[in-house]
Amino acid sequence: MSQTKHRPQVAIICGSGLGMLADTLKCQDSFAYSDIPGFPQSTVQGHAGRLVFGELKGKTCVCMQGRFHMYEGHSLCKTTFPVRVFKLLGVDTLIVTNAAGSLADGLQPGDIMVIKDHVNFPGMGGLNPLTGPNDDKFGPRFPAMSGCYDKGLRCVAMEVAKQLGVANIMQEGVYAMVGGPNFESIAEARLLHRLGVDAVALFPLMDEIII
Ligand SMILES: O=P(O)(O)O[C@H]1O[C@H](CO)[C@@H](O)[C@H]1O
Ligand SMILES: Nc1nc2[nH]cnc2c(=O)[nH]1
């Protein structure tokens, strides 16, 4: 922290195709993951592997330009390590973005889904970054997931979409995480759809759980 004057309250994890958001931060200080002790390295194409501090619309933010996935071979502890670092930096709002496959009838390729709830299939099977001794300074032993996706922030997102004239490509939905790296078979996609899942992807939920 001695190398940046920024003290962010908001962290944004940029998924595939969204890394350029970090490039728009004003008064930037950026750090390659390879220069940060304990950080894993990005191996996914298009994930730059940089932590960028700066101002976005007057808010001090830190952006992950590239995230870590279980399918890259990282342990869950490693993939979620940056979120613990954010907590220690004083971040209290985490915005997680990623590319996902849509299953809902009304969601077209390129649309935006705001997550209102999730189904964590690996987590339900016991694969969870909170496994092991609990460090109470990061949160309780048994965190509730019912308030995981802040209603106020979701309303702001929908309101801003209206103001920008993109509300027609944005809706709320239920998101499921699967292990990957293969995408779903047709039968699996049908099953998820019948279970009430609107979009499916390969990782991010673990970040929400750890904060
Ligand atoms: O936006 P990211 O996090 O890369 O997420 C999704 O996009 C990739 C697959 O197309 C996978 O990495 C999947 O997890
Ligand atoms: N599981 C899964 N992850 C994705 N990431 C981007 N598209 C998809 C998809 O269709 N399925």
Side-chain angles (χ1 to χ4, degrees), residues 13-18 44-45 47 66-69 71-72 97-100 175 178 181 183 200-204:
I13 302 181
C14 303
S16 293
L18 292 158
V44 179
Q45 204 180 2
H47 286 229
R67 71 139 55 74
F68 309 115
H69 308 82
Y71 65 77
E72 293 173 84
T97 67
N98 82 298
Y175 171 93
V178 294
F183 289 156
V200 57
L202 299 180
F203 190 66

Side-chain angles (χ1 to χ4, degrees), residues 106-119:
L107 272 174
Q108 305 301 321
D111 283 1
I112 299 167
M113 189 185 91
V114 176
I115 302 175
K116 67 175 177 188
D117 204 351
H118 70 234
V119 183

Side-chain angles (χ1 to χ4, degrees), residues 53-68:
F53 292 77
E55 304 283 331
L56 183 64
K57 302 273 179 198
K59 282 257 176 214
T60 306
C61 299
V62 54
C63 283
M64 281 182 75
Q65 211 170 28
R67 71 139 55 74
F68 309 115

Side-chain angles (χ1 to χ4, degrees), residues 94-136:
L94 178 67
I95 300 176
V96 180
T97 67
N98 82 298
S102 68
L103 296 166
D105 298 330
L107 272 174
Q108 305 301 321
D111 283 1
I112 299 167
M113 189 185 91
V114 176
I115 302 175
K116 67 175 177 188
D117 204 351
H118 70 234
V119 183
N120 177 4
F121 284 102
M124 288 167 82
L127 211 52
N128 193 305
L130 297 175
T131 300
N134 193 57
D135 187 340
D136 292 345

